Amino acid sequence: MALIVQKYGGTSVGTIARIRTVAERVAKFKMMGHQVVVVLSAMSGETNRLIALAKEIQADPDPRELDVLISTGEQVTIALLTMALKDLGLKAKSYTGAQVRIVTDDAHTKARILSIDEANLRADLDSGHCVVVAGFQGVDENGNITTLGRGGSDTTGVALAAALKADECQIYTDVDGVYTTDPRVVPEARKLDTITFEEMLELASLGSKVLQIRSVEFAGKYKVKLRVLSSFEDSGEGTLITFEEDSMEQPIISGIAFNRDEAKCTLLGVPDKPGVAGLILGAIADANIDVDMIVQNVGHDGTTDFSFSVHRNEFAKAMAVLDGVKAEIGARATSGNDKIAKVSIVGIGMRTHAGVASRMFKALAAENINIQMISTSEIKISVVVEDKYMELAVRTLHHAFELDQAT
Ligand code: ASP
Ligand code: MG
């Protein structure tokens, strides 16, 4: 007998019929003799709908009240699923975050979990109940309802699995696992049987939307066995997130991520002297803008061109800051480009293989794709390319690293 936490996303509980399908799967696990804790998202589209309602009243909704509002989506689905489970003859009980006592800090709309009181849940499980918990929500020490950030039900699932020392945390979603890249861009993309936590973290931070990044961090920290599966097909084992020391042979590259969320800002003709980089990025940081990549080219005339990328939403703000900096340090001009995309290859095999970067750059060159910026970490290489070449770049790299071939 195992204790399993199953988290179902919005599309999996998007209709009554789908809620019944979830109930049937839960029943199947119960019949096998397992204890099951279910964590649910709101019906798909519901959280967005509630946020839009709030914005009709306040452009920048009051955070405490916004949490009271958007936490209701999950309260609907837990009650409905619990009814469906009872309808199948199972013992079941729903819990909101506050009823469990999932205690968080008071950072409304992006709260962090501080503690979970699992005693009631465990008593219910021991008396044969299925326990159904609202994802995405908690309560602060003063009893205010909080939410954990968009996609936060994943984190609720993993946190409950950690608190209950569950044997496995299963994340049911509308894809049947983690893929080498988005199959909508590369039809040959393959589902991975396993991927390491570190790779999953990189992919999540680079824009892969399969798991909320905080849930991956949490699972890594508390050694929760985490698996991503489809709630629509009974198609096998999904993708297991593993620990590096447990994984067998590693491919050099596990996945390719991409996004169009960034924009590039450049200051041209910057005097080449100590302190200018600190000055430029200091001004950007003072405006509360996060910088991703940075490139500096030293010219022959004693000046440099200094480029960095920011989130596209902050592009206009960053350019305005740069204009101020330009005057202050006597740079020649500013220029900006929000028609860029970032493409990244991720794999822990990079640590032990030389030549990965050159293989990447040669493959892009063969397609005449110009690289505008580069950044690397131990297990990742990212490049910025012109927006319109993004999909070509992803397909090219997928092929160049033989990700379409079964390992
Ligand atoms: N319902 C929340 C959202 O849409 C939380 C979740 O689905 O994970 O972000
Ligand atoms: Mg999600």
Side-chain angles (χ1 to χ4, degrees):
M1 183 185 79
L3 200 174
I4 299 170
V5 175
Q6 300 188 330
K7 181 261 166 178
Y8 292 90
T11 49
S12 309
V13 291
T15 63
I16 295 298
R18 286 181 173 176
I19 288 175
R20 286 199 190 276
T21 307
V22 169
E24 278 155 21
R25 175 170 303 100
V26 173
K28 208 175 79 188
F29 277 84
K30 267 309 274 179
M31 297 310 168
M32 291 191 275
H34 300 310
Q35 294 185 321
V36 188
V37 175
V38 184
V39 175
L40 297 182
S41 288
M43 289 176 151
S44 55
E46 178 64 4
T47 310
N48 288 342
R49 188 184 75 86
L50 294 168
I51 292 172
L53 285 179
K55 286 191 171 165
E56 280 185 39
I57 294 179
Q58 283 189 304
D60 193 9
D62 179 85
R64 182 186 184 278
E65 302 316 318
L66 188 62
D67 275 350
V68 171
L69 179 68
I70 63 181
S71 60
T72 59
E74 276 72 9
Q75 191 166 334
V76 171
T77 50
I78 56 168
L80 291 173
L81 179 70
T82 305
M83 291 174 196
L85 288 167
K86 292 194 159 177
D87 208 38
L88 292 176
L90 295 173
K91 291 205 263 183
K93 199 161 159 186
S94 70
Y95 281 88
T96 65
Q99 286 175 319
V100 176
R101 275 195 74 72
I102 297 178
V103 178
T104 71
D105 61 19
D106 58 5
H108 284 290
T109 74
K110 47 176 187 294
R112 285 186 177 267
I113 296 176
L114 300 175
S115 67
I116 293 181
D117 182 356
E118 82 292 351
N120 289 332
L121 304 190
R122 203 178 290 283
D124 282 340
L125 289 170
D126 289 343
S127 64
H129 285 78
C130 300
V131 175
V132 183
V133 180
F136 180 53
Q137 55 177 262
V139 64
D140 74 8
E141 262 143 8
N142 297 315
N144 300 297
I145 295 174
T146 55
T147 62
L148 309 179
R150 298 306 306 272
S153 300
D154 292 342
T155 299
T156 306
V158 172
L160 277 174
L164 290 162
K165 300 189 176 55
D167 295 283
E168 186 163 308
C169 180
Q170 304 175 335
I171 308 279
Y172 287 91
T173 175
D174 45 10
V175 292
D176 63 347
V178 180
Y179 277 71
T180 49
T181 195
D182 189 334
R184 283 169 299 190
V185 171
V186 184
E188 297 79 29
R190 268 187 316 108
K191 182 177 76 78
L192 297 162
D193 293 333
T194 65
I195 187 166
T196 65
F197 272 98
E198 279 174 290
E199 291 169 322
M200 198 62 221
L201 265 182
E202 283 281 8
L203 289 173
S205 68
L206 291 166
S208 151
K209 303 217 161 49
V210 181
L211 289 174
Q212 197 205 30
I213 183 159
R214 207 181 274 175
S215 73
V216 184
E217 286 167 0
F218 218 102
K221 189 163 156 201
Y222 293 99
K223 300 260 169 191
V224 173
K225 189 171 169 197
L226 188 60
R227 193 186 288 281
V228 177
L229 310 115
S230 165
S231 66
F232 299 119
E233 300 157 43
D234 256 331
S235 61
E237 307 279 276
T239 301
L240 181 67
I241 324 287
T242 58
F243 296 94
E244 188 172 350
E245 53 275 23
D246 303 331
S247 54
M248 307 281 283
E249 205 190 326
Q250 282 300 326
I252 299 175
I253 301 302
S254 290
I256 301 179
F258 52 85
N259 72 61
R260 290 191 170 93
D261 295 345
E262 291 188 32
K264 185 168 101 173
C265 306
T266 304
L267 199 53
L268 298 150
V270 177
D272 184 18
K273 59 177 192 216
V276 285
L279 234 154
I280 300 168
L281 294 182
I284 294 291
D286 287 344
N288 242 319
I289 302 171
D290 284 328
V291 169
D292 181 15
M293 295 194 198
I294 302 166
V295 174
Q296 182 185 226
N297 318 304
V298 181
H300 297 292
D301 58 351
T303 70
T304 74
D305 293 344
F306 191 93
S307 298
F308 56 90
S309 64
V310 298
H311 196 281
R312 226 176 249 195
N313 294 342
E314 315 222 83
F315 179 54
K317 194 164 139 200
M319 289 307 291
V321 173
L322 266 198
D323 269 329
V325 177
K326 183 187 90 175
E328 192 179 330
I329 64 179
R332 183 160 43 79
T334 62
S335 81
N337 182 358
D338 64 352
K339 303 271 179 303
I340 60 166
K342 183 163 84 167
V343 177
S344 311
I345 60 175
V346 172
I348 57 170
M350 260 183 233
R351 289 204 187 110
T352 46
H353 286 85
V356 179
S358 70
R359 188 161 159 195
M360 178 184 196
F361 302 158
K362 279 181 187 156
L364 294 173
E367 294 294 336
N368 252 315
I369 301 171
N370 192 37
I371 300 171
Q372 303 185 16
M373 303 175 106
I374 301 168
S375 75
T376 65
S377 80
E378 226 193 332
I379 63 164
K380 172 204 79 177
I381 304 171
S382 298
V383 295
V384 163
V385 299
E386 206 181 321
D387 196 330
K388 67 179 182 203
Y389 293 129
M390 185 186 83
E391 298 198 354
L392 176 62
V394 174
R395 280 196 296 272
T396 301
L397 295 172
H398 199 267
H399 186 70
F401 286 96
E402 296 169 359
L403 290 180
D404 32 16
Q405 259 133 72
T407 46

